[in-house]
Amino acid sequence: MKLEKSSRFSACPGPVVTIVLDGVGISPREDGDAVKTARTPTLDKLMASYPMIALRAHGTAVGMPSDEDMGNSEVGHNAFGAGRVFAQGAKLVAESIASGHLWQGHAWHEVVATAKQGGTLHFLGLFSDGNVHSHIDHLKAMIERAKQEGVAKVRLHILLDGRDVGETSALDYVDPFEAYLDGLRGADFDVAIASGGGRMQITMDRYEADWSMVKRGWDIHVRGLGRQFASAHEAIATFRNEANVIDQDLPGFVIAKDGKPLGTIVDGDAVVFFNFRGDRAIEISRAFTEESFSPFERGPLPKVTYAGMMQYDGDTKLPPRFLVEPPTIDRTLGEYLAKNGISQYAISETQKFGHVTYFWNGNRSGKFDEALETYVEIPSDVVPFEQRPWMKCAEITDTLIAAVRSGKYQYLRVNYANGDMVGHTGNFEAAVTAMQGLDLQLARLIPVILEMNGTAIITADHGNADEMYELDKKGNVVRNAEGRTKAKTSHTLNPVPFVLVSGENPGYRLRGDIAAPGLSNSAATILNLLGFEAPDDYDPSLIEAV
Ligand code: 3PG
Ligand code: CO
């Protein structure tokens, strides 16, 4: 993995720093754009005075099945780190189902065999067509196949989304799905929703930010402990009536008949966690598979056949049983730099820490070279982020500035979570504040990088805060009869900025000849800035020497 020294580019005399403004895209309209609305004098000035291009950050440019799919942090950071586009979970699962490959694997056979020995087959996962963590079509295909293979009893544990899809769209999924289940149910096929709740309330925590979420999910799905309702529809309608909560924050619920939960998870059952993306699947998978487990009081561990849609962590082999092989992302930027003696530094707060390490390194936990790499996690607040939209951007910047000044690192990367995590709340004012907080930090950080003769790349993994209102199919803002807008919590399809900030006469300029440049073009660019030629199969660099 030796990199060739470039004869065209001389290495930047100071550190090269990638600054990922998570969820900050470039929207073509003004309405509902928290990025444009915010007063961000520093970002505006940098964008106006340094070379900048817009990069594609969604759809096929990041390995999603189609250009209708928005980008997300997993695929975005994979593309940044890999310098190439790999077919991602969403695509691999859809293909595995379409080709029938999924049904031929050991994992599916074991799941079905367990259920046919008298166990219940449980499907647990994010219940929407967001295609970021899961897709409802994958769930349907598995239920139908289970029926066809003679499984008698299926129970569903549904995590309501409202974060990758419309913020109050839960019933648009639940109601047609109940009708669909009615059509499948029969004398020898018993299928029903058994439990559920909002994805930010139960089960889908990530990076160990808040294990209590997973505990709440465990109690609801496995032990059937929670408020009881006759149906998921009733639960959602009741919660909405009682308090003004959006789907992702709906409390957990248990579906019961005569006081008895419809589907607790017990010895001899099979459980499929049908999310394909790893970050929010790891903690619940650990709870189901680790014999000795301390993050929360789990009660007796039921002996179940547990399968993930994918393996969520290839290093720890979690979970050991999985339905579809994850993408194998090899020869990442991080690995090349480590093998060529370049010191690296990565920093973010908890909510995005795995993004700039694990996802950036091709879904690999740990470092390539302990001596050359430093990874820093600043603990995130455990509060709804609209309450503290500045999040930890100031603390991250304090620590990062010290790292830049130390002169110890040649390549640094940071993820600021604000545009994304606050964007996901759907709160426009908070997203504007988030952007303003972020801009203050850029005003502190950029001069230090320049003072150290470095280069800053300001970019993003996908859009989010750039569209805070729902749009119709034509791209116009949706307004109700009173003219009010509807909050949009999900990512956008917009491109993201790529701004190259360096001192005078840096010896390069942006190339104008790259067709449809995307996030994956960034890695080769970074290698050039560090004075190397990029590997031949990396997507082309965005700069040329002058
Ligand atoms: C989440 O997990 O919070 C969203 O589904 C996706 O957000 P991310 O891709 O920006 O992490
Ligand atoms: Co996001």
Side-chain angles (χ1 to χ4, degrees), residues 10 53 103 123 150 160 214 222 233 237 281 291 340 347 353 379 430 465:
S10 42
I53 52 169
W103 324 124
F123 291 104
L160 302 166
V214 189
V222 177
H233 183 108
E291 284 295 332
N340 287 271
I347 184 170
F353 176 67

Side-chain angles (χ1 to χ4, degrees), residues 49-237:
S49 40
Y50 286 96
M52 159 161 161
I53 52 169
L55 297 183
R56 287 162 54 96
H58 78 287
T60 51
V62 285
M64 298 295 287
S66 84
D67 285 337
E68 256 87 85
D69 290 300
M70 62 201 174
N72 66 71
S73 291
E74 174 187 40
V75 300
H77 286 75
N78 278 173
F80 277 134
R84 291 149 292 161
V85 179
F86 288 82
Q88 290 286 350
K91 190 164 176 199
L92 297 172
V93 173
E95 283 171 0
S96 182
I97 289 172
S99 69
H101 202 81
L102 195 149
W103 324 124
Q104 318 306 322
H106 280 305
W108 179 256
H109 280 233
E110 285 165 8
V111 161
V112 169
T114 305
K116 287 175 79 173
Q117 278 156 23
T120 299
L121 171 49
H122 301 265
F123 291 104
L124 163 61
L126 185 61
F127 188 70
S128 78
D129 54 359
N131 228 8
V132 172
H133 295 267
S134 69
H135 198 297
I136 199 168
D137 288 352
H138 305 164
L139 171 65
K140 285 181 167 174
M142 289 190 294
I143 298 172
E144 286 163 36
R145 180 72 187 195
K147 178 178 177 184
Q148 202 184 317
E149 293 196 32
V151 171
K153 189 170 171 191
V154 169
R155 289 291 177 265
L156 308 161
H157 305 266
I158 58 171
L159 301 168
L160 302 166
D161 190 343
R163 187 172 174 90
D164 299 327
V165 295
E167 65 159 3
T168 44
S169 58
L171 292 176
D172 301 343
Y173 296 95
V174 168
D175 292 347
F177 194 76
E178 290 282 16
Y180 162 81
L181 294 183
D182 288 343
L184 287 178
R185 213 170 273 130
D188 44 15
F189 191 62
D190 171 10
V191 60
I193 297 175
S195 76
R199 56 176 286 179
M200 297 307 277
Q201 273 301 310
I202 61 167
T203 317
M204 276 178 63
D205 182 41
R206 69 177 164 205
Y207 306 141
E208 309 196 26
D210 182 7
W211 270 104
S212 73
M213 274 171 68
V214 189
K215 166 153 174 56
R216 287 195 291 276
W218 181 265
D219 288 346
I220 291 280
H221 312 307
V222 177
R223 305 167 88 182
L225 300 174
R227 188 164 162 195
Q228 298 189 346
F229 294 90
S231 69
H233 183 108
E234 186 192 86
I236 295 162

Side-chain angles (χ1 to χ4, degrees), residues 22 71-74 126 132-133 161 163-164 199-200 204 206 277 279-280 351-352 355 420-421 424 461-462 464 491:
D22 206 304
N72 66 71
S73 291
E74 174 187 40
L126 185 61
V132 172
H133 295 267
D161 190 343
R163 187 172 174 90
D164 299 327
R199 56 176 286 179
M200 297 307 277
M204 276 178 63
R206 69 177 164 205
R277 172 163 149 174
D279 56 352
R280 295 189 184 276
Q351 285 293 340
K352 297 284 176 177
H355 292 33
D420 185 62
M421 295 304 288
H424 279 302
D461 54 344
H462 56 74
N464 185 336
H491 297 170

